[in-house]
Amino acid sequence: MAIQKSPAPPSRSSLLRRIRALESKLEEIDGGSGRAGRQDDPAAEVHELIASGRPMTAVRRYREITGATEAEARDAITQLGGFAAQDD
């Protein structure tokens, strides 16, 4: 019986190029308002950081925006689903 190899996952640089290309297309469609909207809405920025798997960055940004303590910020990000069971 032959062992099948699964294809290698795409490289990080390849994924980043694809993300940049998608973002460029979205800006063309959206007229560039997508990025400006994120900067104007700090809550959206925090949610985006959580969604992209960067909970500690979300905690730091939450603290910058609200002035919360480290514990308060971690609790808030946890409630938003930012920390999975295996995270710190």
Side-chain angles (χ1 to χ4, degrees), residues 7-37:
S11 68
R12 178 179 163 87
S13 61
S14 169
L15 291 173
L16 290 173
R17 276 194 306 275
R18 292 170 66 185
I19 289 170
R20 281 193 293 272
L22 287 170
E23 287 175 341
S24 174
K25 293 283 186 189
L26 283 173
E27 284 196 26
E28 287 175 20
I29 294 169
D30 199 23
S33 64
R35 245 177 238 272

Side-chain angles (χ1 to χ4, degrees), residues 76-88:
I77 300 304
T78 299
Q79 288 178 354
L80 293 171
F83 290 102
Q86 78 271 13
D87 284 348
D88 191 330

Side-chain angles (χ1 to χ4, degrees), residues 62-77:
Y62 184 90
R63 290 186 68 198
E64 290 172 0
I65 294 166
T66 65
T69 65
E70 176 80 19
E72 291 168 336
R74 279 187 71 93
D75 288 344
I77 300 304

Side-chain angles (χ1 to χ4, degrees), residues 39-55:
Q39 292 170 348
D40 294 342
D41 186 5
E45 184 180 356
V46 170
H47 284 282
E48 185 177 313
L49 289 167
I50 292 168
S52 66
R54 298 170 54 201

